[in-house]
Amino acid sequence: MIRVRFAPSPTGALHIGGAHTALFNWLFVRREGGRFVLRIEDTDRVRSTKEAEKTILDGLQWLGITWDEGPFYQSERLNLYRRYAEQLLENGLAYKEGSAIVFRTPREGATYFKDIVWGDIEVENGSLKDIVLIKSDGMPTYNFAVVVDDHTMGITHVIRGEDHIPNTPKQILIYKALGFEVPEFAHLPMILGPDKTKLSKRHGATAVGEYRNMGYLPEAVFYYLSLLGWSPKEEGDILYPQEIVKLFDLRDVTKRAAVFDLEKLKWINKLFIKDKSPAELAKAMRFFWLEKGYNIDDYPESYLQDVVAILQGRAYTLQELADYSDYLLKESLNYDKIILAEFIGVMKGEEWNSLIEEIKKIDPFVVENIDNAVRSWLNKRGVKLKGVGQALRYALTARRVTPGIFEVMTLLGKDRVVDRLERAVSLVVGESSNWQDA
RNA sequence: GCUCUCAUCGUCUAGCGGCCAAGGACACUGCCCUUUCAAGGCAGCGGCGGGGGUUCGAAUCCCCCUGGGAGCGCCA
């Protein structure tokens, strides 16, 4: 039975690197069939917090990284570490130094292991220093606790970041001293910032939660992360977790550290947004709309879904999508008077009035009818749609970029369209009908 | 400094001795479509770090150099 584990220390948020590690463990174990164990490495009494732990678990759940056992806490297993440390003391393989217990590394020979992704790795034992097992405060050190935990928890495959490669020989020495079977190791490539150094806060957002708040979809983050150090034979289409599981193979993991590319993540996020059903998306949008202060409960659910449907695929994040939907979910528009005057200026006030009258007659108020009515009115007058279309767009949305203007008009409904047009025209033309560029 | 390790377009990668005058994706640049944007279509830019070998033949194997990364805590 294959058993893997993800063992974060609760000293901060779940960051991209951690999520990447958890993800690969998850893909591997779901692919091969086995159990995913979650272990909290909270032996650093000073830096560990319950809040950090919660953030990490939330982050994993958000991404859909499920675990089968745990969370287990190292802080609750202190006796275990103590007992094994004493065993080493009795065997003469470790010694006391003050109130700490230290492992005596062999001076001769070499320690070898075959990493699933890196291949053969060998280190001269002579280059290793003695290893502290139990700290003066009675807590085990990381290198000792992992060994005891991974063994007693029956972990068969240790999958973790490349930064642990130098620790591995030390741990293997301890496994052997304790008479434990050594598990398989698979080290994952590091995730770097644009400057090619280990990704950290100074590179920008590194916490998974930040991406959630910015409006990234969990599936998108999941897919993007899976692409760092691994790749499906054919890229191009988006893949959902279950599909990735089917294609995943630890042996295909790359060794070269990968630079985190936000541009690509954004693009992937856009694809996933586009792929969502309007109902699902509308649900996910609630948080972002509310954050914008829109009174979304004033509108029927079906309308909200229509709003999403017309906009999805044009935004990189849900936050952007919320921003783009303002004119559909807010009743008042803030025009830039100069821009409005410029757009409305493509036609005379009386022409606008005529067009508006024409629009009032459209029934039912659907895309095809609006399109026909507006175009035939324009044809009769010999006016091009280009300028008027843009004017309509700005007058109705206070934006220069929106989905197709006839789609927008349909969604807005005849009443709002007429109201907004009349107001826009009067703002520019004024009561007197003799208006100037502002 | 010591130890381990990596090295294909700007970025993520395919490639595991001949099918590679190196393929895809993101980004970027044109063009088409067009009521704006996006999408879509087409075209383009751009890379095997360097030097030695091995071989009939090397991006692929070996060595050296160079460059990068990680680790070297009674942190995890």
Side-chain angles (χ1 to χ4, degrees), chain A residues 320-352:
Chain A
E320 266 184 29
L321 206 156
D323 184 42
Y324 294 165
S325 53
D326 60 354
Y327 55 89
L328 293 166
L329 298 172
K330 269 183 7 186
E331 293 310 314
S332 63
L333 301 180
N334 294 316
Y335 298 116
D336 176 313
K337 290 285 171 48
I338 296 174
I339 294 173
L340 182 65
E342 205 173 292
F343 279 130
I344 292 297
V346 300
M347 293 200 299
K348 294 194 175 73
E350 62 195 46
E351 291 179 299
W352 278 111

Short mmCIF file of all heavy atoms in Angstrom, two decimals, chain A residues 320-352:
data_model
loop_
_atom_site.label_atom_id
_atom_site.label_comp_id
_atom_site.label_asym_id
_atom_site.label_seq_id
_atom_site.Cartn_x
_atom_site.Cartn_y
_atom_site.Cartn_z
N GLU A 320 -11.64 41.00 -11.88
CA GLU A 320 -11.81 41.78 -13.10
C GLU A 320 -13.24 41.66 -13.60
O GLU A 320 -13.86 42.63 -14.04
CB GLU A 320 -10.89 41.24 -14.20
CG GLU A 320 -9.57 41.94 -14.31
CD GLU A 320 -8.75 41.41 -15.48
OE1 GLU A 320 -9.35 40.96 -16.49
OE2 GLU A 320 -7.53 41.43 -15.38
N LEU A 321 -13.75 40.45 -13.54
CA LEU A 321 -15.10 40.22 -14.03
C LEU A 321 -16.11 41.04 -13.22
O LEU A 321 -17.06 41.60 -13.76
CB LEU A 321 -15.42 38.73 -13.93
CG LEU A 321 -16.47 38.19 -14.89
CD1 LEU A 321 -16.27 36.70 -15.10
CD2 LEU A 321 -17.86 38.43 -14.35
N ALA A 322 -15.85 41.13 -11.93
CA ALA A 322 -16.74 41.93 -11.08
C ALA A 322 -16.65 43.39 -11.50
O ALA A 322 -17.65 44.11 -11.58
CB ALA A 322 -16.33 41.78 -9.62
N ASP A 323 -15.45 43.80 -11.79
CA ASP A 323 -15.24 45.18 -12.20
C ASP A 323 -15.98 45.45 -13.52
O ASP A 323 -16.68 46.45 -13.66
CB ASP A 323 -13.74 45.41 -12.38
CG ASP A 323 -13.42 46.85 -12.72
OD1 ASP A 323 -14.05 47.73 -12.10
OD2 ASP A 323 -12.59 47.09 -13.60
N TYR A 324 -15.84 44.55 -14.47
CA TYR A 324 -16.45 44.72 -15.78
C TYR A 324 -17.98 44.70 -15.76
O TYR A 324 -18.61 45.07 -16.74
CB TYR A 324 -15.99 43.60 -16.74
CG TYR A 324 -14.52 43.65 -17.08
CD1 TYR A 324 -13.91 42.54 -17.66
CD2 TYR A 324 -13.75 44.78 -16.82
CE1 TYR A 324 -12.55 42.55 -17.98
CE2 TYR A 324 -12.40 44.80 -17.13
CZ TYR A 324 -11.80 43.69 -17.71
OH TYR A 324 -10.46 43.70 -18.01
N SER A 325 -18.55 44.19 -14.69
CA SER A 325 -20.01 44.07 -14.67
C SER A 325 -20.70 45.23 -13.97
O SER A 325 -21.90 45.19 -13.72
CB SER A 325 -20.42 42.74 -14.03
OG SER A 325 -19.83 42.59 -12.76
N ASP A 326 -19.95 46.28 -13.67
CA ASP A 326 -20.54 47.39 -12.92
C ASP A 326 -21.79 47.99 -13.56
O ASP A 326 -22.81 48.19 -12.89
CB ASP A 326 -19.49 48.48 -12.65
CG ASP A 326 -18.90 49.08 -13.92
OD1 ASP A 326 -19.21 48.56 -15.01
OD2 ASP A 326 -18.14 50.05 -13.81
N TYR A 327 -21.75 48.27 -14.84
CA TYR A 327 -22.90 48.94 -15.48
C TYR A 327 -24.14 48.04 -15.58
O TYR A 327 -25.21 48.50 -15.93
CB TYR A 327 -22.52 49.43 -16.88
CG TYR A 327 -21.97 48.34 -17.78
CD1 TYR A 327 -22.83 47.57 -18.57
CD2 TYR A 327 -20.61 48.06 -17.82
CE1 TYR A 327 -22.34 46.56 -19.38
CE2 TYR A 327 -20.10 47.06 -18.62
CZ TYR A 327 -20.97 46.31 -19.40
OH TYR A 327 -20.47 45.31 -20.18
N LEU A 328 -23.95 46.76 -15.27
CA LEU A 328 -25.09 45.84 -15.32
C LEU A 328 -25.67 45.64 -13.93
O LEU A 328 -26.79 45.18 -13.76
CB LEU A 328 -24.66 44.49 -15.90
CG LEU A 328 -24.25 44.52 -17.37
CD1 LEU A 328 -23.53 43.23 -17.75
CD2 LEU A 328 -25.48 44.74 -18.25
N LEU A 329 -24.87 45.98 -12.91
CA LEU A 329 -25.30 45.73 -11.55
C LEU A 329 -25.39 47.00 -10.69
O LEU A 329 -25.62 46.94 -9.49
CB LEU A 329 -24.36 44.73 -10.89
CG LEU A 329 -24.34 43.34 -11.57
CD1 LEU A 329 -23.24 42.47 -11.00
CD2 LEU A 329 -25.69 42.66 -11.43
N LYS A 330 -25.14 48.13 -11.35
CA LYS A 330 -25.26 49.41 -10.65
C LYS A 330 -26.18 50.24 -11.51
O LYS A 330 -26.08 50.20 -12.73
CB LYS A 330 -23.90 50.11 -10.57
CG LYS A 330 -23.11 49.79 -9.35
CD LYS A 330 -21.79 50.55 -9.25
CE LYS A 330 -21.54 51.61 -10.27
NZ LYS A 330 -20.16 52.16 -10.15
N GLU A 331 -27.05 51.02 -10.90
CA GLU A 331 -27.98 51.78 -11.72
C GLU A 331 -27.46 53.14 -12.18
O GLU A 331 -27.90 53.68 -13.18
CB GLU A 331 -29.33 51.93 -11.02
CG GLU A 331 -30.08 50.60 -10.86
CD GLU A 331 -30.17 49.80 -12.17
OE1 GLU A 331 -30.50 50.39 -13.23
OE2 GLU A 331 -29.88 48.59 -12.16
N SER A 332 -26.49 53.67 -11.44
CA SER A 332 -26.00 54.97 -11.89
C SER A 332 -24.63 54.86 -12.53
O SER A 332 -23.78 54.10 -12.08
CB SER A 332 -25.94 55.94 -10.70
OG SER A 332 -25.00 55.45 -9.76
N LEU A 333 -24.46 55.62 -13.60
CA LEU A 333 -23.19 55.59 -14.30
C LEU A 333 -22.42 56.89 -14.08
O LEU A 333 -23.03 57.95 -13.95
CB LEU A 333 -23.43 55.44 -15.81
CG LEU A 333 -24.19 54.20 -16.26
CD1 LEU A 333 -24.33 54.22 -17.78
CD2 LEU A 333 -23.49 52.93 -15.82
N ASN A 334 -21.13 56.78 -14.03
CA ASN A 334 -20.31 57.98 -13.89
C ASN A 334 -19.59 58.23 -15.21
O ASN A 334 -18.59 57.62 -15.50
CB ASN A 334 -19.28 57.80 -12.77
CG ASN A 334 -19.95 57.68 -11.42
OD1 ASN A 334 -20.88 58.43 -11.11
ND2 ASN A 334 -19.51 56.71 -10.64
N TYR A 335 -20.15 59.12 -15.97
CA TYR A 335 -19.53 59.42 -17.25
C TYR A 335 -18.39 60.40 -17.09
O TYR A 335 -18.39 61.22 -16.18
CB TYR A 335 -20.55 60.09 -18.18
CG TYR A 335 -21.75 59.29 -18.55
CD1 TYR A 335 -23.02 59.71 -18.17
CD2 TYR A 335 -21.62 58.14 -19.31
CE1 TYR A 335 -24.15 59.01 -18.54
CE2 TYR A 335 -22.75 57.41 -19.68
CZ TYR A 335 -24.01 57.85 -19.30
OH TYR A 335 -25.11 57.15 -19.67
N ASP A 336 -17.47 60.30 -18.01
CA ASP A 336 -16.47 61.34 -18.13
C ASP A 336 -17.12 62.26 -19.16
O ASP A 336 -17.33 61.87 -20.31
CB ASP A 336 -15.16 60.76 -18.69
CG ASP A 336 -14.13 61.84 -18.93
OD1 ASP A 336 -14.49 62.87 -19.53
OD2 ASP A 336 -12.97 61.66 -18.52
N LYS A 337 -17.46 63.47 -18.77
CA LYS A 337 -18.23 64.37 -19.63
C LYS A 337 -17.57 64.62 -20.98
O LYS A 337 -18.22 64.71 -22.02
CB LYS A 337 -18.43 65.72 -18.92
CG LYS A 337 -19.37 65.63 -17.74
CD LYS A 337 -20.81 65.51 -18.18
CE LYS A 337 -21.77 65.20 -17.04
NZ LYS A 337 -21.60 66.05 -15.85
N ILE A 338 -16.28 64.74 -20.96
CA ILE A 338 -15.56 65.01 -22.21
C ILE A 338 -15.68 63.84 -23.17
O ILE A 338 -15.97 64.01 -24.36
CB ILE A 338 -14.08 65.31 -21.91
CG1 ILE A 338 -13.99 66.58 -21.08
CG2 ILE A 338 -13.30 65.44 -23.22
CD1 ILE A 338 -12.61 66.93 -20.60
N ILE A 339 -15.49 62.65 -22.63
CA ILE A 339 -15.56 61.47 -23.48
C ILE A 339 -16.99 61.28 -23.99
O ILE A 339 -17.22 60.99 -25.17
CB ILE A 339 -15.13 60.22 -22.69
CG1 ILE A 339 -13.64 60.34 -22.34
CG2 ILE A 339 -15.38 58.95 -23.51
CD1 ILE A 339 -13.13 59.25 -21.42
N LEU A 340 -17.95 61.48 -23.11
CA LEU A 340 -19.34 61.32 -23.51
C LEU A 340 -19.69 62.28 -24.64
O LEU A 340 -20.30 61.90 -25.64
CB LEU A 340 -20.27 61.57 -22.31
CG LEU A 340 -21.76 61.39 -22.59
CD1 LEU A 340 -22.06 59.92 -22.92
CD2 LEU A 340 -22.61 61.84 -21.39
N ALA A 341 -19.28 63.51 -24.48
CA ALA A 341 -19.58 64.52 -25.50
C ALA A 341 -18.98 64.14 -26.84
O ALA A 341 -19.59 64.30 -27.90
CB ALA A 341 -19.05 65.87 -25.05
N GLU A 342 -17.80 63.59 -26.78
CA GLU A 342 -17.11 63.19 -27.99
C GLU A 342 -17.89 62.11 -28.72
O GLU A 342 -18.10 62.16 -29.93
CB GLU A 342 -15.74 62.67 -27.58
CG GLU A 342 -14.68 62.76 -28.66
CD GLU A 342 -13.33 62.37 -28.07
OE1 GLU A 342 -12.80 63.13 -27.23
OE2 GLU A 342 -12.86 61.29 -28.42
N PHE A 343 -18.32 61.11 -27.96
CA PHE A 343 -19.06 60.01 -28.57
C PHE A 343 -20.43 60.43 -29.08
O PHE A 343 -20.82 60.15 -30.20
CB PHE A 343 -19.23 58.85 -27.57
CG PHE A 343 -18.01 57.98 -27.47
CD1 PHE A 343 -17.47 57.66 -26.24
CD2 PHE A 343 -17.41 57.46 -28.62
CE1 PHE A 343 -16.34 56.84 -26.14
CE2 PHE A 343 -16.29 56.64 -28.54
CZ PHE A 343 -15.76 56.33 -27.29
N ILE A 344 -21.17 61.12 -28.22
CA ILE A 344 -22.51 61.54 -28.61
C ILE A 344 -22.45 62.50 -29.79
O ILE A 344 -23.34 62.56 -30.63
CB ILE A 344 -23.21 62.24 -27.41
CG1 ILE A 344 -23.48 61.22 -26.30
CG2 ILE A 344 -24.52 62.89 -27.84
CD1 ILE A 344 -24.42 60.09 -26.68
N GLY A 345 -21.32 63.19 -29.86
CA GLY A 345 -21.13 64.16 -30.93
C GLY A 345 -21.11 63.60 -32.34
O GLY A 345 -21.08 64.35 -33.31
N VAL A 346 -21.13 62.30 -32.49
CA VAL A 346 -21.12 61.75 -33.85
C VAL A 346 -22.43 62.03 -34.58
O VAL A 346 -22.51 61.93 -35.80
CB VAL A 346 -20.86 60.22 -33.86
CG1 VAL A 346 -19.51 59.91 -33.24
CG2 VAL A 346 -21.99 59.47 -33.17
N MET A 347 -23.46 62.37 -33.80
CA MET A 347 -24.75 62.67 -34.44
C MET A 347 -25.36 63.90 -33.78
O MET A 347 -25.01 64.25 -32.66
CB MET A 347 -25.74 61.50 -34.29
CG MET A 347 -25.35 60.26 -35.04
SD MET A 347 -26.77 59.15 -35.31
CE MET A 347 -27.28 58.77 -33.65
N LYS A 348 -26.30 64.49 -34.48
CA LYS A 348 -26.99 65.66 -33.92
C LYS A 348 -28.01 65.18 -32.89
O LYS A 348 -28.46 64.03 -32.92
CB LYS A 348 -27.74 66.41 -35.03
CG LYS A 348 -26.85 67.04 -36.08
CD LYS A 348 -27.69 68.03 -36.91
CE LYS A 348 -26.83 68.79 -37.90
NZ LYS A 348 -26.41 67.90 -39.03
N GLY A 349 -28.37 66.06 -32.02
CA GLY A 349 -29.35 65.75 -30.99
C GLY A 349 -30.64 65.20 -31.56
O GLY A 349 -31.20 64.24 -31.04
N GLU A 350 -31.11 65.78 -32.63
CA GLU A 350 -32.39 65.34 -33.20
C GLU A 350 -32.28 63.93 -33.77
O GLU A 350 -33.22 63.15 -33.75
CB GLU A 350 -32.84 66.31 -34.29
CG GLU A 350 -31.88 66.40 -35.46
CD GLU A 350 -32.18 67.62 -36.33
OE1 GLU A 350 -32.39 68.71 -35.76
OE2 GLU A 350 -32.22 67.45 -37.56
N GLU A 351 -31.07 63.61 -34.27
CA GLU A 351 -30.88 62.26 -34.78
C GLU A 351 -30.93 61.24 -33.64
O GLU A 351 -31.50 60.17 -33.76
CB GLU A 351 -29.52 62.17 -35.51
CG GLU A 351 -29.51 62.97 -36.80
CD GLU A 351 -28.16 62.90 -37.51
OE1 GLU A 351 -27.16 63.34 -36.89
OE2 GLU A 351 -28.11 62.38 -38.64
N TRP A 352 -30.32 61.62 -32.55
CA TRP A 352 -30.36 60.74 -31.38
C TRP A 352 -31.80 60.51 -30.95
O TRP A 352 -32.20 59.40 -30.65
CB TRP A 352 -29.56 61.33 -30.22
CG TRP A 352 -28.09 61.05 -30.33
CD1 TRP A 352 -27.09 61.94 -30.58
CD2 TRP A 352 -27.46 59.76 -30.22
NE1 TRP A 352 -25.87 61.30 -30.64
CE2 TRP A 352 -26.07 59.97 -30.42
CE3 TRP A 352 -27.93 58.48 -29.98
CZ2 TRP A 352 -25.14 58.92 -30.38
CZ3 TRP A 352 -27.01 57.43 -29.94
CH2 TRP A 352 -25.62 57.66 -30.15
#
